[in-house]
Amino acid sequence: MQPATTHLTRPAFQHSVNRSGELWSSTHELCDLLRICLPQDLRDDHSRYQHVRFKAGQTVHLNNDALSNLFLVNCGFLKSSMTDDLDKELVLSFPMKGDLIGIDSIHRQHHQSQTVALSDCDIILIPYSSLQDLCKKSEQFGHTILQIMSRELVRERYMLGVQRSLSAEAKVGRFLCMMGERYAQLGYSSRRFNLRMSRNEIANYLGVAIETVSRILSVFHRLGVITVNQREIVIIDAGFLSNLVKLPSARDRIPKQAVLKSPIMINQKMPFPIYQQQPEFALS
Amino acid sequence: MQPATTHLTRPAFQHSVNRSGELWSSTHELCDLLRICLPQDLRDDHSRYQHVRFKAGQTVHLNNDALSNLFLVNCGFLKSSMTDDLDKELVLSFPMKGDLIGIDSIHRQHHQSQTVALSDCDIILIPYSSLQDLCKKSEQFGHTILQIMSRELVRERYMLGVQRSLSAEAKVGRFLCMMGERYAQLGYSSRRFNLRMSRNEIANYLGVAIETVSRILSVFHRLGVITVNQREIVIIDAGFLSNLVKLPSARDRIPKQAVLKSPIMINQKMPFPIYQQQPEFALS
DNA sequence: CGTTACTTTGAATATAGTCAAGCAGTGTGG
DNA sequence: CCACACTGCTTGACTATATTCAAAGTAACG
């Protein structure tokens, strides 16, 4: 499809740090970002965590980098990807505010993926050693970290399900809804937003060809369930998008019109809220 | 494809326990099974973990069960699956000796999947509370658990890559190799083994139709790279299977013979050892 | 021995991929 | 400011891969 790596510039760490206005966060702020309650036993923890800024296009970490920090997104939009057996890029996720980057690296103590900034970003560095300290200090925090990892597992598994059993149309529909939900969580509109990634990156993420994504967006537009203008999306019928199973085959569709001869298949079940705020997730 | 749930019998826990000969394992044995070194600070831990036996076809846990235990496979073969949006079964993994079942349930404190025994099994129950105790007692153990979860994430991600970017032929090829490697780890032959799961389960796991699996196995057999006899597989050319990208299209293939007009595409790179023993994984 | 479940194989079909061309927005340099 | 190239996106036509449907074969089970 596309080459695995374009030209990746390694982040100028020290540089960024010195210029970054020396912003540091407390453990409390960390927990807030992660959407977990500050455990009792960390009330008097005064650790500080450094912020680093990345410009759009800059690399946060590369595949195979030794694990020294995890990265917590404070603001901005990123893309995590790995390189598969065949040296093709494989987009894994689009981290944004509140997402923890790098937990896949704990296993071998080296990153198994790479992350680049799609927009200017502010990222908090969490040295892995600090994470271990926090786990040692607070039993509850340790539990929470397990939960976060477990959640990541469930999310990735959800994507696995999407890959395996959905039509390309359903994939794109759910992708748009998911993005809407995620923006909503950040306080933006879930109906009108700008995609931060290219069609290519979407296609890769969904495991379909770029032309397929393009075509499907056009069809959705024609059907009146969304509006597409470059990367600006307006979702008109979110229910349609998240429950779509498949559209009538192309031949049953009067070309260039929204008139359909055979019915559109829609799933009745409520979709699994994979990225929604999870109240039970916060520790009481 | 296939109905999500056939008829699942809940395990007769108490019953099994009473009949099971009351086998209990030590923390040390637990670590051995998990292929990690017993941490120093758990040397004098005398916790005991109960074994439970399951007959082929019995359910170990159901989706949405409250998390009380994790399950460590001592022997036997199982199948973990979830139910997707469209109520279809989605096979996630085929746990065997040494695999830890249920870490996806930590997130919501409820299982996000279900596991059934494909053969008679001996399973060690690890109450989640005990796991937390061990983490509290031993910092190193806590770290190791993180590693295990991280590893699971990487494995699942590998499958995601398989789903997205491989042809059906490559999927089946890699599946066979992977099974070989896993059997090898258990001390069996990596070349000759019995698949414990049905074609249906394989197809589901790989995200292809059952007929496709069947056809591809036949083609491999005809090409002389494997031998298939029901569920007994003999791998003749493992390199071929793990590096196959795609076979020549059907029309370039003289029917029913192993003669090919155009070349078979083979990947040069070494495959990622996703299930191989990882020496660096053991704690020093 | 008949019923059932699982598997294989063939033929037709559909979905999505590839190839190719054209369009639109962006940026560069004359 | 315009011409030019460049990149990303869209659209069409064709094709390949894999699915679906159908039928028949094989093993397993009571």
Side-chain angles (χ1 to χ4, degrees):
Chain A
M1 295 176 186
Q2 52 280 97
T5 345
T6 44
H7 72 111
L8 292 167
T9 47
R10 201 163 266 283
F13 254 133
Q14 282 319 110
H15 191 217
S16 300
V17 171
N18 294 337
R19 280 190 2 201
S20 71
E22 291 292 335
L23 194 52
W24 296 72
S25 277
S26 64
T27 306
H28 189 95
E29 287 165 329
L30 223 67
C31 289
D32 280 355
L33 251 181
L34 285 167
R35 293 183 220 105
I36 57 178
C37 290
L38 178 72
Q40 288 283 348
D41 31 14
L42 289 179
R43 284 271 162 80
D44 58 352
D45 181 87
H46 292 100
S47 320
R48 293 272 145 181
Y49 303 89
Q50 191 173 43
H51 287 233
V52 182
R53 285 172 187 284
F54 292 92
K55 289 226 161 76
Q58 275 190 314
T59 300
V60 176
H61 68 90
L62 283 175
N63 188 11
N64 222 27
D65 278 357
L67 163 62
S68 49
N69 298 298
L70 298 182
F71 305 93
L72 178 58
V73 184
N74 185 39
C75 70
F77 299 88
L78 303 97
K79 173 186 73 164
S80 278
S81 57
M82 66 180 283
T83 302
D84 76 0
D85 296 19
L86 282 65
D87 269 326
K88 286 189 296 189
E89 180 182 14
L90 217 127
V91 177
L92 295 168
S93 61
F94 297 108
M96 46 179 82
K97 183 176 179 182
D99 289 333
L100 190 59
I101 298 171
I103 54 180
D104 55 335
S105 61
I106 295 173
H107 168 33
R108 286 170 195 266
Q109 301 287 305
H110 286 269
H111 287 282
Q112 306 283 318
S113 57
Q114 59 185 20
T115 303
V116 302
L118 295 178
S119 69
D120 290 2
C121 291
D122 185 57
I123 308 267
I124 303 174
L125 301 186
I126 308 180
Y128 185 59
S129 53
S130 305
L131 196 78
Q132 289 182 305
D133 284 348
L134 289 176
C135 286
K136 188 161 48 171
K137 277 190 208 148
S138 163
E139 197 184 330
Q140 206 166 54
F141 187 85
H143 175 67
T144 305
I145 288 297
L146 286 185
Q147 281 193 315
I148 288 175
M149 295 196 63
S150 179
R151 179 182 60 182
E152 211 56 35
L153 208 68
V154 171
R155 279 186 189 170
E156 214 155 83
R157 168 173 303 181
Y158 172 77
M159 276 309 294
L160 198 72
V162 168
Q163 295 303 335
R164 281 220 287 233
S165 54
L166 294 188
S167 67
E169 289 130 354
K171 286 183 189 175
V172 175
R174 276 157 216 241
F175 173 75
L176 293 175
C177 282
M178 187 187 74
M179 290 312 286
E181 281 167 25
R182 295 183 73 187
Y183 282 117
Q185 245 183 74
L186 303 190
Y188 300 116
S189 165
S190 68
R191 285 191 57 252
R192 169 181 235 108
F193 51 83
N194 273 288
L195 294 172
R196 297 321 210 282
M197 65 296 287
S198 69
R199 296 283 191 274
N200 223 314
E201 288 161 337
I202 297 173
N204 187 310
Y205 179 65
L206 296 176
V208 297
I210 177 174
E211 295 95 331
T212 303
V213 172
S214 192
R215 266 184 258 275
I216 290 172
L217 288 177
S218 300
V219 172
F220 284 169
H221 195 153
R222 246 175 271 141
L223 288 173
V225 294
I226 62 169
T227 277
V228 188
N229 191 335
Q230 297 296 112
R231 296 190 179 179
E232 179 177 296
I233 301 285
V234 179
I235 294 184
I236 295 163
D237 187 346
F240 179 95
L241 293 174
S242 62
N243 293 315
L244 176 65
V245 174
K246 68 177 179 133
L247 291 169
S249 72
R251 309 187 310 179
D252 292 2
R253 215 156 52 208
I254 288 139
K256 295 289 161 204
Q257 283 181 258
V259 185
L260 304 170
K261 287 201 292 185
S262 56
I264 294 167
M265 281 181 65
I266 296 284
N267 180 18
Q268 301 308 328
K269 245 178 87 179
M270 278 312 268
F272 191 66
I274 204 67
Y275 264 112
Q276 262 167 35
Q277 185 79 36
Q278 290 131 15
E280 82 273 31
F281 186 48
L283 289 170
S284 51
Chain B
M1 295 177 185
Q2 50 281 97
T5 346
T6 42
H7 71 110
L8 292 167
T9 47
R10 200 165 266 283
F13 254 132
Q14 282 319 110
H15 192 217
S16 301
V17 170
N18 292 339
R19 283 190 0 202
S20 70
E22 292 291 333
L23 193 51
W24 296 72
S25 276
S26 65
T27 306
H28 188 95
E29 289 165 328
L30 223 67
C31 289
D32 280 356
L33 250 181
L34 285 166
R35 291 183 222 107
I36 58 179
C37 289
L38 179 72
Q40 289 284 346
D41 30 15
L42 289 179
R43 283 272 162 80
D44 56 351
D45 181 89
H46 291 100
S47 319
R48 294 272 145 182
Y49 303 90
Q50 191 174 42
H51 287 233
V52 181
R53 288 173 184 283
F54 292 91
K55 288 225 160 77
Q58 277 190 312
T59 300
V60 176
H61 68 88
L62 283 175
N63 189 10
N64 223 24
D65 278 357
L67 164 60
S68 50
N69 298 297
L70 298 182
F71 305 92
L72 178 57
V73 184
N74 185 39
C75 70
F77 300 88
L78 304 99
K79 173 186 74 166
S80 278
S81 58
M82 67 179 280
T83 302
D84 75 0
D85 295 21
L86 282 68
D87 270 327
K88 285 189 298 190
E89 180 181 13
L90 218 128
V91 177
L92 296 166
S93 62
F94 296 108
M96 46 179 83
K97 185 178 178 182
D99 289 332
L100 190 60
I101 298 171
I103 55 181
D104 55 334
S105 60
I106 295 173
H107 168 30
R108 288 171 193 263
Q109 302 287 305
H110 286 268
H111 286 282
Q112 306 282 318
S113 57
Q114 59 186 20
T115 303
V116 300
L118 295 179
S119 69
D120 290 1
C121 292
D122 184 57
I123 308 267
I124 303 174
L125 303 186
I126 308 180
Y128 184 60
S129 54
S130 305
L131 195 80
Q132 289 181 304
D133 284 348
L134 289 176
C135 287
K136 188 160 50 171
K137 278 191 207 148
S138 164
E139 198 184 329
Q140 208 167 52
F141 187 84
H143 175 68
T144 305
I145 288 298
L146 286 185
Q147 281 193 317
I148 288 175
M149 294 196 64
S150 179
R151 178 183 62 181
E152 211 56 34
L153 208 66
V154 171
R155 279 186 189 169
E156 213 154 84
R157 170 173 301 181
Y158 171 78
M159 276 310 295
L160 199 71
V162 168
Q163 294 303 334
R164 281 220 285 232
S165 53
L166 295 188
S167 67
E169 290 130 355
K171 286 183 190 175
V172 175
R174 276 157 215 240
F175 173 74
L176 293 175
C177 283
M178 185 187 76
M179 290 311 287
E181 281 166 24
R182 295 184 72 187
Y183 282 118
Q185 246 183 71
L186 302 191
Y188 300 116
S189 165
S190 69
R191 285 190 58 254
R192 169 182 234 106
F193 50 82
N194 273 288
L195 294 172
R196 298 321 209 282
M197 64 296 286
S198 68
R199 296 283 189 273
N200 222 314
E201 288 160 337
I202 297 172
N204 186 312
Y205 179 65
L206 295 176
V208 297
I210 177 175
E211 295 94 331
T212 304
V213 172
S214 190
R215 267 184 259 274
I216 290 172
L217 288 177
S218 301
V219 172
F220 284 168
H221 194 153
R222 248 175 269 142
L223 287 172
V225 294
I226 63 169
T227 278
V228 188
N229 191 333
Q230 296 298 114
R231 297 190 179 179
E232 179 177 294
I233 301 285
V234 179
I235 294 184
I236 295 162
D237 188 345
F240 179 95
L241 293 175
S242 63
N243 294 314
L244 175 66
V245 173
K246 66 176 180 138
L247 291 169
S249 72
R251 309 186 312 177
D252 293 2
R253 214 156 53 208
I254 288 141
K256 296 287 160 207
Q257 283 181 260
V259 185
L260 304 170
K261 286 201 293 185
S262 56
I264 295 168
M265 282 182 64
I266 296 283
N267 181 19
Q268 300 307 329
K269 248 178 84 181
M270 278 312 268
F272 192 65
I274 203 68
Y275 264 113
Q276 260 166 39
Q277 184 80 37
Q278 289 130 15
E280 82 271 33
F281 186 50
L283 290 170
S284 54

